[in-house]
Amino acid sequence: MNILIVDDNESLARGLVSYLKSERHDALMATAVRDGLHLVGTQKFDLVITDLRLPDGSGLDIIKSCRSAEDPPEVILMTAFSS
């Protein structure tokens, strides 16, 4: 499975990528919306896990881009904020 992690918490993203690779998945990370959108636009992912609040935008922008793909990936949206 090809998985993209988009989260500005670099240590969390690196940990997830490391775990996913240990489970024999292909995994990449991005720490900003801009980089995540670039990856979604240039590569095919089966799953995208994105944070809601990112320094340069919203994980909702990542979701919108994923939905417009010919074969859209599944998306998991996460956040540390209770509101």
Coordinates of all heavy atoms in Angstrom, one line a residue:
M1 N 0.9 -1.2 0.0 CA 0.0 0.0 0.0 C 0.9 1.2 0.0 O 1.9 1.3 0.7 CB -0.9 0.0 1.2 CG -1.9 1.1 1.3 SD -3.1 1.0 2.7 CE -4.2 -0.1 2.0
N2 N 0.6 2.2 -0.8 CA 1.3 3.5 -0.9 C 0.6 4.5 0.0 O -0.6 4.9 -0.3 CB 1.4 3.9 -2.3 CG 2.5 4.9 -2.6 OD1 3.4 5.1 -1.8 ND2 2.4 5.7 -3.7
I3 N 1.2 5.0 1.0 CA 0.6 5.9 2.0 C 1.3 7.2 2.1 O 2.6 7.3 2.1 CB 0.6 5.2 3.4 CG1 -0.2 3.9 3.2 CG2 -0.1 6.1 4.4 CD1 -0.1 3.0 4.4
L4 N 0.6 8.3 2.2 CA 1.1 9.6 2.4 C 0.7 10.1 3.8 O -0.5 10.1 4.1 CB 0.7 10.6 1.4 CG 1.0 12.1 1.6 CD1 2.6 12.3 1.6 CD2 0.4 13.0 0.5
I5 N 1.6 10.6 4.6 CA 1.4 11.3 5.9 C 1.6 12.8 5.7 O 2.7 13.1 5.3 CB 2.3 10.7 7.0 CG1 2.3 9.2 7.1 CG2 2.0 11.4 8.3 CD1 1.0 8.6 7.4
V6 N 0.6 13.6 6.1 CA 0.8 15.0 6.0 C 0.6 15.6 7.4 O -0.5 15.6 7.9 CB -0.1 15.7 5.0 CG1 0.2 17.2 4.9 CG2 -0.1 15.1 3.6
D7 N 1.7 16.0 8.1 CA 1.6 16.5 9.5 C 2.8 17.4 9.7 O 3.9 17.0 9.4 CB 1.6 15.3 10.4 CG 1.0 15.7 11.8 OD1 1.5 16.7 12.3 OD2 0.1 15.0 12.3
D8 N 2.5 18.5 10.4 CA 3.6 19.4 10.7 C 4.4 19.0 11.9 O 5.5 19.5 12.2 CB 3.1 20.9 10.9 CG 2.1 21.0 12.0 OD1 1.3 20.1 12.2 OD2 2.0 22.0 12.6
N9 N 3.9 18.0 12.7 CA 4.7 17.4 13.8 C 5.6 16.4 13.2 O 5.2 15.2 12.9 CB 3.7 16.8 14.8 CG 4.4 16.2 16.0 OD1 5.6 15.8 15.9 ND2 3.7 16.1 17.1
E10 N 6.8 16.8 12.9 CA 7.8 16.0 12.1 C 8.1 14.7 12.8 O 8.2 13.6 12.2 CB 9.1 16.8 11.9 CG 9.4 16.9 10.4 CD 10.7 17.6 10.2 OE1 10.7 18.9 10.3 OE2 11.7 16.9 9.8
S11 N 8.2 14.7 14.1 CA 8.5 13.5 14.8 C 7.4 12.5 14.7 O 7.6 11.3 14.6 CB 8.9 13.7 16.3 OG 7.9 14.3 17.0
L12 N 6.1 12.9 14.8 CA 5.0 12.0 14.7 C 4.9 11.5 13.2 O 4.8 10.3 13.0 CB 3.7 12.8 14.9 CG 2.4 12.0 14.6 CD1 2.2 10.9 15.6 CD2 1.2 12.9 14.7
A13 N 5.1 12.3 12.2 CA 5.1 11.9 10.8 C 6.2 10.9 10.6 O 6.0 9.8 10.0 CB 5.2 13.1 9.9
R14 N 7.4 11.2 11.1 CA 8.5 10.2 10.9 C 8.3 8.9 11.6 O 8.6 7.8 11.0 CB 9.8 10.8 11.4 CG 10.4 11.9 10.5 CD 11.8 12.3 10.9 NE 12.2 13.5 10.3 CZ 12.6 13.7 9.1 NH1 12.7 12.6 8.3 NH2 13.0 14.8 8.6
G15 N 7.7 9.0 12.7 CA 7.3 7.7 13.5 C 6.3 6.9 12.7 O 6.5 5.7 12.6
L16 N 5.3 7.5 12.2 CA 4.3 6.8 11.4 C 4.9 6.2 10.1 O 4.6 5.1 9.8 CB 3.1 7.8 11.0 CG 2.1 8.1 12.1 CD1 1.2 9.2 11.6 CD2 1.3 6.9 12.5
V17 N 5.7 7.0 9.4 CA 6.4 6.5 8.2 C 7.3 5.3 8.6 O 7.2 4.3 7.9 CB 7.2 7.6 7.5 CG1 8.1 7.0 6.4 CG2 6.2 8.6 6.9
S18 N 8.0 5.4 9.6 CA 8.9 4.3 10.0 C 8.1 3.0 10.3 O 8.4 1.9 9.9 CB 9.7 4.7 11.3 OG 10.5 3.7 11.7
Y19 N 7.0 3.2 11.1 CA 6.1 2.1 11.4 C 5.5 1.4 10.2 O 5.6 0.2 10.0 CB 5.0 2.5 12.4 CG 4.0 1.3 12.6 CD1 4.4 0.2 13.4 CD2 2.8 1.4 11.9 CE1 3.5 -0.8 13.5 CE2 1.9 0.3 12.1 CZ 2.2 -0.8 12.9 OH 1.4 -1.8 13.0
L20 N 5.0 2.3 9.3 CA 4.4 1.8 8.1 C 5.4 1.0 7.2 O 5.1 0.0 6.6 CB 3.7 2.9 7.3 CG 2.5 3.5 8.0 CD1 2.1 4.8 7.3 CD2 1.3 2.5 8.0
K21 N 6.6 1.5 7.1 CA 7.6 0.8 6.3 C 8.0 -0.5 7.0 O 8.2 -1.5 6.3 CB 8.9 1.7 6.2 CG 8.6 2.9 5.2 CD 9.9 3.7 5.0 CE 9.6 4.7 3.9 NZ 10.8 5.5 3.5
S22 N 8.0 -0.5 8.3 CA 8.3 -1.8 9.0 C 7.2 -2.9 8.7 O 7.4 -4.1 8.8 CB 8.5 -1.6 10.5 OG 7.2 -1.4 11.1
E23 N 6.0 -2.4 8.4 CA 4.9 -3.3 8.0 C 4.8 -3.5 6.5 O 3.8 -4.0 6.0 CB 3.6 -2.7 8.5 CG 3.4 -2.6 10.0 CD 3.4 -4.0 10.6 OE1 2.6 -4.8 10.1 OE2 4.0 -4.2 11.7
R24 N 5.9 -3.1 5.8 CA 6.0 -3.4 4.4 C 5.1 -2.5 3.5 O 4.7 -2.9 2.4 CB 5.9 -4.8 4.0 CG 6.9 -5.7 4.8 CD 6.9 -7.1 4.3 NE 7.7 -8.0 5.1 CZ 9.0 -8.2 4.9 NH1 9.6 -7.6 4.0 NH2 9.6 -9.0 5.8
H25 N 4.8 -1.3 3.9 CA 4.1 -0.4 3.1 C 5.1 0.7 2.6 O 6.1 0.9 3.2 CB 3.0 0.4 3.9 CG 1.9 -0.5 4.4 ND1 1.0 -1.1 3.6 CD2 1.7 -0.9 5.7 CE1 0.2 -1.8 4.4 NE2 0.6 -1.8 5.6
D26 N 4.7 1.3 1.4 CA 5.5 2.4 0.9 C 4.9 3.7 1.6 O 3.7 3.8 1.5 CB 5.4 2.5 -0.6 CG 6.1 1.4 -1.3 OD1 7.2 0.9 -0.8 OD2 5.6 0.9 -2.3
A27 N 5.7 4.5 2.2 CA 5.2 5.6 2.9 C 6.1 6.8 2.7 O 7.3 6.7 2.7 CB 5.0 5.3 4.4
L28 N 5.4 8.0 2.5 CA 6.1 9.3 2.4 C 5.5 10.2 3.3 O 4.3 10.0 3.8 CB 5.9 9.8 1.0 CG 6.6 9.1 -0.2 CD1 6.2 9.7 -1.5 CD2 8.1 9.1 0.0
M29 N 6.2 11.3 3.6 CA 5.6 12.3 4.5 C 5.8 13.7 3.9 O 6.7 14.0 3.1 CB 6.3 12.3 5.9 CG 7.8 12.6 5.9 SD 8.4 12.6 7.6 CE 8.3 14.4 7.9
A30 N 4.9 14.6 4.3 CA 5.0 16.0 4.0 C 4.7 16.8 5.3 O 3.8 16.3 6.1 CB 4.1 16.4 2.9
T31 N 5.3 17.9 5.5 CA 5.0 18.7 6.7 C 4.3 20.0 6.5 O 4.1 20.8 7.4 CB 6.4 19.0 7.4 OG1 7.2 19.8 6.5 CG2 7.1 17.8 7.9
A32 N 3.8 20.1 5.3 CA 3.0 21.3 4.9 C 2.0 21.0 3.8 O 2.2 20.0 3.1 CB 3.9 22.4 4.4
V33 N 0.9 21.8 3.7 CA -0.1 21.6 2.7 C 0.5 21.6 1.3 O 0.2 20.8 0.5 CB -1.2 22.6 2.9 CG1 -2.2 22.6 1.7 CG2 -2.0 22.4 4.2
R34 N 1.4 22.6 1.1 CA 2.0 22.8 -0.2 C 2.7 21.6 -0.7 O 2.5 21.1 -1.8 CB 3.0 24.0 -0.2 CG 3.7 24.3 -1.5 CD 4.7 25.4 -1.3 NE 5.5 25.2 -0.1 CZ 6.8 25.0 -0.1 NH1 7.4 25.0 -1.2 NH2 7.5 24.8 1.0
D35 N 3.5 21.0 0.2 CA 4.2 19.8 -0.2 C 3.3 18.6 -0.3 O 3.5 17.7 -1.2 CB 5.3 19.4 0.9 CG 6.3 20.6 1.0 OD1 6.6 21.3 0.0 OD2 6.8 20.7 2.1
G36 N 2.3 18.5 0.5 CA 1.3 17.4 0.4 C 0.5 17.5 -0.9 O 0.3 16.5 -1.5
L37 N 0.1 18.7 -1.3 CA -0.6 18.8 -2.5 C 0.2 18.5 -3.7 O -0.2 17.8 -4.7 CB -1.1 20.3 -2.7 CG -2.2 20.7 -1.7 CD1 -2.5 22.2 -1.9 CD2 -3.5 19.9 -1.9
H38 N 1.5 18.8 -3.6 CA 2.4 18.4 -4.7 C 2.5 16.9 -4.8 O 2.4 16.4 -6.0 CB 3.8 19.0 -4.5 CG 4.8 18.6 -5.5 ND1 4.9 19.0 -6.8 CD2 5.8 17.6 -5.4 CE1 5.8 18.4 -7.4 NE2 6.4 17.5 -6.6
L39 N 2.7 16.2 -3.7 CA 2.8 14.8 -3.8 C 1.5 14.1 -4.2 O 1.5 13.2 -5.1 CB 3.2 14.2 -2.4 CG 4.6 14.5 -2.0 CD1 4.8 14.2 -0.5 CD2 5.6 13.7 -2.9
V40 N 0.4 14.6 -3.8 CA -0.9 14.1 -4.2 C -1.1 14.3 -5.7 O -1.7 13.5 -6.4 CB -2.1 14.7 -3.4 CG1 -3.4 14.4 -4.0 CG2 -2.1 14.2 -1.9
G41 N -0.6 15.4 -6.2 CA -0.8 15.7 -7.6 C 0.2 15.0 -8.5 O -0.1 14.9 -9.7
T42 N 1.2 14.4 -8.0 CA 2.2 13.8 -8.8 C 2.4 12.3 -8.6 O 3.1 11.6 -9.4 CB 3.6 14.4 -8.6 OG1 4.0 14.3 -7.2 CG2 3.6 15.9 -9.0
Q43 N 1.8 11.7 -7.5 CA 1.9 10.3 -7.2 C 0.5 9.7 -6.9 O -0.3 10.5 -6.4 CB 2.9 10.1 -6.1 CG 4.3 10.6 -6.4 CD 5.3 10.2 -5.3 OE1 5.2 9.1 -4.8 NE2 6.2 11.1 -5.0
K44 N 0.4 8.4 -7.0 CA -0.8 7.8 -6.6 C -0.6 7.2 -5.2 O 0.3 6.5 -5.0 CB -1.1 6.6 -7.6 CG -2.4 5.9 -7.2 CD -2.8 4.8 -8.2 CE -4.0 4.1 -7.8 NZ -4.5 4.2 -6.4
F45 N -1.6 7.5 -4.4 CA -1.6 7.0 -3.0 C -2.9 6.2 -2.8 O -3.9 6.5 -3.3 CB -1.5 8.1 -2.0 CG -0.2 8.8 -2.0 CD1 -0.1 10.0 -2.7 CD2 0.9 8.3 -1.4 CE1 1.1 10.7 -2.8 CE2 2.1 8.9 -1.5 CZ 2.2 10.1 -2.2
D46 N -2.8 5.1 -2.0 CA -3.9 4.3 -1.6 C -4.6 4.9 -0.4 O -5.8 4.8 -0.2 CB -3.5 2.9 -1.3 CG -2.8 2.2 -2.5 OD1 -3.5 2.1 -3.6 OD2 -1.6 1.8 -2.4
L47 N -3.8 5.6 0.4 CA -4.2 6.2 1.7 C -3.5 7.4 2.0 O -2.2 7.5 1.8 CB -4.0 5.2 2.9 CG -4.4 5.7 4.3 CD1 -5.8 6.0 4.4 CD2 -3.9 4.6 5.3
V48 N -4.2 8.5 2.4 CA -3.6 9.7 2.9 C -4.1 10.0 4.3 O -5.3 10.0 4.5 CB -3.9 10.9 1.9 CG1 -3.4 12.2 2.5 CG2 -3.4 10.7 0.5
I49 N -3.1 10.2 5.2 CA -3.4 10.5 6.5 C -2.9 12.0 6.7 O -1.7 12.3 6.6 CB -2.7 9.6 7.5 CG1 -3.1 8.2 7.3 CG2 -3.0 10.0 9.0 CD1 -2.3 7.1 8.1
T50 N -3.8 12.9 7.0 CA -3.5 14.3 7.1 C -4.0 14.9 8.4 O -5.0 14.6 8.9 CB -4.0 15.1 5.9 OG1 -3.6 16.4 6.0 CG2 -5.5 15.1 5.8
D51 N -3.2 15.8 8.9 CA -3.6 16.6 10.1 C -4.5 17.7 9.6 O -4.5 18.1 8.4 CB -2.3 17.3 10.6 CG -2.5 18.0 12.0 OD1 -3.6 17.9 12.5 OD2 -1.6 18.6 12.5
L52 N -5.4 18.2 10.4 CA -6.4 19.2 10.0 C -5.7 20.6 10.0 O -5.8 21.3 9.0 CB -7.5 19.2 11.0 CG -8.6 20.3 10.8 CD1 -9.2 20.2 9.4 CD2 -9.6 20.3 11.9
R53 N -5.0 20.9 11.0 CA -4.3 22.2 11.1 C -2.9 22.1 10.7 O -2.1 21.5 11.4 CB -4.5 22.8 12.5 CG -5.9 23.1 12.8 CD -6.0 23.8 14.1 NE -7.4 24.1 14.5 CZ -7.8 24.7 15.6 NH1 -6.8 25.1 16.5 NH2 -9.0 24.9 15.9
L54 N -2.5 22.8 9.7 CA -1.1 22.8 9.2 C -0.7 24.3 9.1 O -1.5 25.2 8.9 CB -1.0 22.1 7.9 CG -1.3 20.6 8.0 CD1 -1.8 20.0 6.6 CD2 -0.1 19.9 8.5
P55 N 0.6 24.5 9.1 CA 1.1 25.9 9.2 C 0.7 26.8 7.9 O 0.5 28.0 8.1 CB 2.6 25.8 9.3 CG 3.0 24.4 9.1 CD 1.7 23.6 9.2
D56 N 0.5 26.1 6.8 CA 0.2 26.9 5.6 C -1.1 26.6 5.0 O -1.4 26.9 3.9 CB 1.3 26.6 4.5 CG 1.4 25.2 4.1 OD1 0.9 24.3 4.9 OD2 1.9 24.9 3.0
G57 N -2.0 26.0 5.8 CA -3.4 25.8 5.3 C -4.1 24.7 6.2 O -3.7 24.5 7.3
S58 N -5.0 24.0 5.5 CA -5.8 23.1 6.2 C -5.7 21.7 5.5 O -5.6 21.6 4.3 CB -7.3 23.5 6.1 OG -8.2 22.5 6.6
G59 N -5.8 20.7 6.3 CA -5.9 19.3 5.8 C -7.1 19.1 4.9 O -7.1 18.2 4.0
L60 N -8.1 20.0 5.0 CA -9.3 19.9 4.1 C -8.9 20.2 2.7 O -9.5 19.7 1.7 CB -10.4 20.9 4.6 CG -11.0 20.6 6.0 CD1 -11.9 21.7 6.4 CD2 -11.6 19.3 6.0
D61 N -7.8 21.0 2.5 CA -7.3 21.3 1.1 C -6.7 20.0 0.5 O -6.9 19.7 -0.6 CB -6.3 22.4 1.1 CG -6.8 23.7 1.6 OD1 -8.0 24.0 1.2 OD2 -6.1 24.4 2.3
I62 N -6.1 19.2 1.4 CA -5.5 17.9 1.0 C -6.7 17.0 0.6 O -6.6 16.3 -0.5 CB -4.7 17.3 2.1 CG1 -3.6 18.2 2.5 CG2 -4.2 15.9 1.7 CD1 -2.4 18.3 1.6
I63 N -7.8 16.9 1.4 CA -8.9 16.1 1.1 C -9.5 16.5 -0.3 O -9.8 15.6 -1.1 CB -10.0 16.2 2.2 CG1 -9.4 15.5 3.5 CG2 -11.3 15.5 1.8 CD1 -10.3 15.7 4.7
K64 N -9.7 17.8 -0.5 CA -10.3 18.2 -1.8 C -9.4 17.8 -3.0 O -10.0 17.3 -4.0 CB -10.4 19.8 -1.8 CG -11.5 20.3 -0.9 CD -11.5 21.8 -0.9 CE -12.4 22.3 0.2 NZ -12.3 23.8 0.4
S65 N -8.1 17.9 -2.8 CA -7.3 17.5 -3.9 C -7.4 16.0 -4.1 O -7.4 15.5 -5.3 CB -5.8 17.9 -3.6 OG -5.0 17.5 -4.6
C66 N -7.4 15.2 -3.1 CA -7.6 13.8 -3.2 C -8.9 13.4 -3.9 O -8.9 12.5 -4.7 CB -7.5 13.1 -1.8 SG -5.9 13.1 -1.0
R67 N -9.9 14.0 -3.5 CA -11.2 13.7 -4.1 C -11.3 14.0 -5.6 O -12.1 13.4 -6.3 CB -12.3 14.5 -3.4 CG -12.7 14.0 -2.1 CD -13.9 14.7 -1.5 NE -14.3 14.0 -0.2 CZ -15.2 14.5 0.6 NH1 -15.8 15.7 0.3 NH2 -15.5 13.9 1.7
S68 N -10.5 14.9 -6.1 CA -10.5 15.3 -7.5 C -9.6 14.3 -8.3 O -9.6 14.4 -9.6 CB -10.0 16.7 -7.7 OG -8.7 16.8 -7.4
A69 N -8.9 13.4 -7.7 CA -8.1 12.4 -8.4 C -8.9 11.4 -9.2 O -10.1 11.2 -8.8 CB -7.2 11.7 -7.5
E70 N -8.4 10.9 -10.3 CA -9.1 9.9 -11.1 C -9.5 8.7 -10.2 O -10.6 8.2 -10.3 CB -8.3 9.5 -12.3 CG -9.0 8.6 -13.2 CD -8.2 8.3 -14.5 OE1 -7.7 9.3 -15.0 OE2 -8.1 7.2 -14.8
D71 N -8.6 8.2 -9.4 CA -8.8 7.1 -8.5 C -8.4 7.6 -7.1 O -7.3 7.3 -6.7 CB -7.9 5.9 -9.0 CG -8.2 4.6 -8.2 OD1 -9.2 4.6 -7.5 OD2 -7.3 3.7 -8.2
P72 N -9.4 8.2 -6.4 CA -9.0 8.9 -5.2 C -8.6 7.9 -4.1 O -9.2 6.8 -4.0 CB -10.3 9.6 -4.8 CG -11.4 9.0 -5.6 CD -10.8 8.4 -6.8
P73 N -7.7 8.3 -3.3 CA -7.3 7.5 -2.1 C -8.3 7.6 -1.0 O -9.1 8.6 -0.9 CB -5.9 8.1 -1.7 CG -6.0 9.5 -2.1 CD -6.9 9.5 -3.4
E74 N -8.2 6.7 -0.1 CA -8.9 6.8 1.2 C -8.2 7.9 2.0 O -7.0 8.1 1.8 CB -8.9 5.5 2.0 CG -9.7 4.4 1.3 CD -11.2 4.6 1.2 OE1 -11.7 5.2 2.2 OE2 -11.8 4.3 0.2
V75 N -8.9 8.6 2.8 CA -8.3 9.7 3.6 C -8.7 9.6 5.0 O -9.9 9.4 5.4 CB -8.7 11.1 3.1 CG1 -8.1 12.2 3.9 CG2 -8.3 11.3 1.6
I76 N -7.7 9.7 5.9 CA -8.0 9.8 7.4 C -7.5 11.2 7.8 O -6.4 11.6 7.5 CB -7.2 8.8 8.1 CG1 -7.7 7.4 7.7 CG2 -7.3 9.0 9.7 CD1 -6.8 6.3 8.3
L77 N -8.4 12.0 8.4 CA -8.2 13.3 8.9 C -8.0 13.2 10.4 O -8.8 12.7 11.1 CB -9.3 14.3 8.5 CG -9.2 15.7 9.0 CD1 -8.1 16.4 8.2 CD2 -10.5 16.4 8.8
M78 N -6.9 13.8 10.9 CA -6.7 13.7 12.4 C -6.3 15.1 12.9 O -5.9 16.0 12.1 CB -5.6 12.8 12.7 CG -4.2 13.1 12.1 SD -3.1 11.8 12.5 CE -1.6 12.4 11.6
T79 N -6.5 15.3 14.2 CA -6.2 16.6 14.8 C -6.0 16.4 16.3 O -6.5 15.5 16.9 CB -7.3 17.7 14.5 OG1 -6.8 18.9 15.0 CG2 -8.6 17.3 15.2
A80 N -5.1 17.3 16.8 CA -4.9 17.2 18.3 C -5.7 18.2 19.0 O -5.8 18.3 20.2 CB -3.4 17.5 18.5
F81 N -6.5 19.0 18.2 CA -7.3 20.1 18.8 C -8.7 19.6 19.1 O -9.3 18.9 18.3 CB -7.4 21.3 17.9 CG -6.1 22.0 17.7 CD1 -5.2 21.6 16.6 CD2 -5.7 23.0 18.6 CE1 -4.0 22.3 16.5 CE2 -4.5 23.6 18.4 CZ -3.6 23.2 17.4
S82 N -9.2 19.8 20.3 CA -10.5 19.3 20.7 C -11.6 20.2 20.2 O -12.8 19.7 20.1 CB -10.6 19.3 22.3 OG -10.5 20.6 22.8
S83 N -11.4 21.4 19.7 CA -12.4 22.2 19.1 C -12.5 21.9 17.7 O -13.2 22.3 16.9 CB -12.2 23.7 19.4 OG -10.9 24.1 18.8

